[in-house]
Amino acid sequence: MSDIAKLEKKMDKRFEELFKLLNDFANDVNDRFDKQDARFDNHDARFDQQDARFDSQDKRFDSLEARLDKHDFNFIQIKDRFDQIEIRLDRLEESHNRLMNTIDGFIKRIDDYETELAARDHKIDRLERWIEQIALKTGTKLT
């Protein structure tokens, strides 16, 4: 065997070693990519679970928002009713004040009338006493 044949054989052996090394490297890289793909698939599954949980939470929030919107509408109606009740109470208070003023006026008139009656009764009593005194002095009999 000649030197060239030996060199070719050495080069073929070296190429086979390099080819095997590159093939092992490629397989190792493929294995690593497969592991990474598996990890990414695992992460994707976890993200899908998180997305499902977020979708569930979104549905719950949508339900809560719908309920709150309904309550907001109810609160608006209740506020309107309270506003109407306040207006009615203000009117009722004004009416009550007018009624109290009217009653106070009547009570004053009754007090004034009672005062006049007391003064008149006192005057009548005084006049009757005078009449009795006059009747006694004149000797007139009162029946």
Side-chain angles (χ1 to χ4, degrees), residues 26-82:
N27 287 336
D28 187 41
V29 168
N30 282 336
D31 287 343
R32 285 185 178 189
F33 273 116
D34 289 341
K35 286 179 184 176
Q36 286 299 325
D37 283 342
R39 287 178 68 190
F40 283 134
D41 289 341
N42 186 21
H43 286 295
D44 285 344
R46 288 177 62 193
F47 279 125
D48 289 341
Q49 288 174 346
Q50 291 298 324
D51 284 343
R53 287 178 66 191
F54 281 127
D55 289 341
S56 170
Q57 293 298 325
D58 284 345
K59 286 178 185 175
R60 288 179 65 192
F61 279 121
D62 290 343
S63 171
L64 284 173
E65 283 180 11
R67 288 173 57 195
L68 287 175
D69 288 344
K70 182 180 177 184
H71 288 299
D72 284 346
F73 180 72
N74 288 340
F75 285 133
I76 290 171
Q77 287 179 328
I78 290 170
K79 184 187 178 303
D80 290 343
R81 289 192 64 197
F82 274 120

